[in-house]
Amino acid sequence: MRRGPFRNGERVQLTDPKGRLTTMTLGVGNTFHTHKGSFAHDELIGAPEGTVISTSGGVEYLALRPLLADYVLSMPRGAAVIYPKDAAQIVTQADIYPGARVVEAGVGSGALTLSLLRAVGEGGSLLSIERREDFAEIARGNVQTFFGGDHPAWELRTGDLQDVLPGAVEAGSVDRVVLDMLAPWECFEAVEHALAPGGVLLAYLATTTQLSRFAEDAKDRGSWTEPVAWESMVRGWHLEGLSVRPDHRMVAHTGFLVTTRKMAPGVNAPIRRRRPAPGAYSEPVNDFETADLAADVGERGVSAKKVRRVLRAHEADRSRRAEPADGETAAPDPQD
Ligand SMILES: C[S@@+](CC[C@H](N)C(=O)[O-])C[C@H]1O[C@@H](n2cnc3c(N)ncnc32)[C@H](O)[C@@H]1O
């Protein structure tokens, strides 16, 4: 944790009067230039966080150390990064705790790596596996810049997780595995070998087809608990005087998260006692099943039982209308 005054070589985040962010690295003797003047880095070195500094043109900048969430959005990228909102969910729902032994793949730009390292701390371990050498190097640079050097709990290896993991850890020695890649189901065998019983596997997936494949493969293998899936949406708010309302724009989709836990060796997960949703595993066989399936995909559906009840009620109404009540005569048929 970096505290105290700004030091030479540290990253500083500047906020201009319009709220725009710029990140720079402090260097003795360097100058920060804008189209409205400049200031010397030396004016910031030794100053406390939360300092306001003015350029020679009179523009004021607020200087703070970047938070992890700020840094992730401004750091150099190779592959797409996991956004802070999803990283927060991953740390909590995959139950990443100080001292945990964690494996992640792929590493991409290393955004999630930063959150995982923060969560396991210096007493834990994070083995990050990335198949692309160039992405691994980008991630290494981002991690070193953020932590100001190597993190003692971190090991980065290149290759496919399926090939690297079996030789990298002892069977059942890993507490948590996080997968962010195109085809995480290809890693089930290696992850089953590495994870301790009760260990959590979390996958981050961009599409519903990937989500379905991952969940069905996990169920077919029998060695995983029932997968649980969700997504999160975060809507920012505009806060200005009495103009307090949701932002007009938001990031509507990033990815789906799914977790499952490893069963004890040789023990199959109990089969859930529930009827599968009609049409979930095959073509619907009648209109009522089509209605149920439509409900599953977000259309308003209605059960076959409810439709039969409504039809019976209509029939009863029709019969009542046709029968004259006591003391009444049936209304004459206008055709007569
Ligand atoms: C979307 S990126 C990961 C982004 C990263 N989680 C972050 O927050 O910056 C997906 C990465 O997975 C890597 N990858 C795909 N399949 C892999 C596998 N089987 N083993 C290791 N890495 C893999 C890709 O090369 C790519 O860099």
Side-chain angles (χ1 to χ4, degrees), residues 75 79-82 104-113 129-132 135 159-162 180-183 186-187:
M75 71 187 196
V81 299
I82 286 190
E104 70 153 343
V107 185
S109 308
L112 182 64
T113 309
I129 306 170
E130 167 57 50
R131 64 157 56 137
R132 286 187 52 164
F135 284 178
D160 280 14
L161 175 135
Q162 306 90 298
D180 174 15
M181 60 173 66
L182 206 58
E186 291 174 355
C187 300

